Amino acid sequence: MGSELPVIDVSPLLAGESAATVARQIEAACVDSGFFYISGHGVPADLIARMDASARRFFELPLDAKMKISMAHGGRAWRGFFPVGGELTSGRPDLKEGIYFGAEREPDGRPLSGRNLFPDEVPELGASVLRYLDVMTEVAQAVMRGVALSLGLDEDYFATGYTADPTILFRIFHYPPASADDGWGVGEHTDYGLLTLLLQDDNAGLQVHSARGWIDAPPIPGTFVCNIGDMLDKLTGGHYRSTPHRVRNASGRERLSFPFFFDPGWDSEVPPLPSRPRLDGGRARWDGQDLRAFTGTYGDYLLSKVAKVFPQLRADVLD
């Protein structure tokens, strides 16, 4: 199955080669829809296979076993498992279950920072996830070099600033088969940070709200779907737009997806780039929000968003 979204070979960014062509392709994609596929990323196929297999073993466990690592046990780190209907992406329960992970570090008192929860029943999942986080961080830094070049900035602009100590979050989602009457696996939303790199299994379900209407973003072997988030929209004054997307698993089969979020440091403020004045007009955001009116740190923004997705957890952990 093909896609209207472009496929961009990012291998020059990883190899330190001339990337002018890649930068132009990234700019065109970010202006058009904020979504594209990447190939040439170098992520080992055997790592992906191990993580996929261990994730499937976890989701096959009975609910009581999965609840041993529920998010209620993750505390302020906001890590762990949630059951079907436990996440409210756009104000309604999503038809999916999943596990929240993040960069593995000692708790420092900040929300969303700390140690991950891994299931004893599937010990290989933890090792696969931690290795995947390391590999994907390198890929994301490389793609952000391309984004920097696409904006006329030094290629290390983000790596020496906003992503010198990035906020790294990772999810594994399991979508049961659904019909059109069952609701959305993930409701319409935009991502919050700079960049998302999404691994999909063989089953379609992702849709993107482009200027041409809703279009499918099916899995393409050997690629990741890449999209920009609200903070890159804010940095560029709306030149690059974070685009609404949603998921419905109409494949008739179980579906797994693996979104990796690569975002500014927790304490980073994200004012518009001086070279990118605010763009007025254009299509209003799906949620009516004016990103350029937000002030504060990325941590403030992220926490306000995640707290709406898990309102009970917010009440139990943060209030």
Side-chain angles (χ1 to χ4, degrees):
M1 182 183 295
S3 173
E4 297 181 35
L5 302 173
V7 179
I8 301 176
D9 180 357
V10 298
S11 57
L13 294 168
L14 287 155
E17 301 171 353
S18 175
T21 299
V22 179
R24 287 193 297 270
Q25 293 173 329
I26 289 175
E27 180 182 24
C30 289
V31 169
D32 178 56
S33 69
F35 270 80
F36 51 97
Y37 295 82
I38 63 167
S39 63
H41 46 73
V43 179
D46 62 335
L47 173 60
I48 291 173
R50 289 196 306 273
M51 190 175 61
D52 181 274
S54 58
R56 292 182 190 279
R57 284 193 288 273
F58 173 79
F59 288 116
E60 289 171 355
L61 294 173
L63 180 59
D64 60 348
K66 291 183 283 190
M67 291 299 288
K68 291 179 183 178
I69 61 163
S70 73
M71 295 184 75
H73 300 303
R76 293 175 66 84
W78 222 298
R79 311 287 171 84
F81 169 76
F82 67 89
V84 173
E87 185 171 21
L88 286 71
T89 301
S90 56
R92 298 180 180 180
D94 292 337
L95 190 62
K96 71 175 188 298
E97 59 182 340
I99 322 174
Y100 270 42
F101 302 105
E104 184 79 0
R105 59 179 63 185
E106 292 298 323
D108 58 12
R110 295 184 301 179
L112 279 71
S113 178
R115 302 189 68 83
N116 291 291
L117 301 179
F118 295 120
D120 292 336
E121 293 85 351
V122 190
E124 63 272 27
L125 179 61
S128 296
V129 165
L130 293 178
R131 176 60 181 150
Y132 189 77
L133 293 179
D134 289 342
V135 171
M136 294 306 294
T137 297
E138 295 178 7
V139 175
Q141 291 282 25
V143 176
M144 289 306 299
R145 289 196 290 272
V147 172
L149 292 171
S150 79
L151 293 168
L153 303 168
D154 182 85
E155 67 173 13
D156 292 325
Y157 179 85
F158 292 102
T160 58
Y162 292 111
T163 63
D165 181 22
T167 300
I168 294 172
L169 302 172
F170 176 53
R171 319 290 188 231
I172 302 179
F173 292 143
H174 169 241
Y175 300 86
S179 69
D181 297 329
D182 290 332
W184 292 97
V186 178
E188 180 179 357
H189 67 287
T190 56
D191 293 342
Y192 312 141
L194 288 174
L195 193 74
T196 303
L197 295 171
L198 173 69
L199 172 67
Q200 306 183 81
D201 70 5
D202 295 333
N203 300 307
L206 175 63
Q207 296 181 336
V208 176
H209 195 190
S210 74
R212 299 172 294 282
W214 287 101
I215 62 174
D216 292 328
I220 297 177
T223 71
F224 292 84
V225 175
C226 180
N227 67 278
I228 62 174
D230 292 346
M231 292 300 101
L232 196 51
D233 186 318
K234 187 174 187 295
L235 275 169
T236 62
H239 179 55
Y240 291 178
R241 296 298 295 269
S242 55
T243 302
H245 47 288
R246 63 191 184 187
V247 174
R248 174 174 282 142
N249 178 21
S251 69
R253 297 177 294 274
E254 310 294 317
R255 179 180 186 268
L256 290 187
S257 72
F258 305 81
F260 175 89
F261 302 96
F262 189 72
D263 298 343
W266 183 266
D267 297 319
S268 297
E269 296 188 6
V270 190
L273 297 168
S275 60
R276 292 291 174 181
R278 170 176 173 156
L279 299 179
D280 294 312
R283 188 177 68 202
R285 271 180 60 93
W286 67 283
D287 57 0
Q289 183 177 9
D290 182 356
L291 288 176
R292 284 147 291 280
F294 170 78
T295 59
T297 67
Y298 178 63
D300 294 333
Y301 185 79
L302 177 60
L303 197 58
S304 70
K305 291 291 189 178
V306 176
K308 292 179 180 178
V309 173
F310 291 102
Q312 186 58 51
L313 192 64
R314 174 194 61 194
D316 294 343
V317 174
L318 300 177
D319 289 354

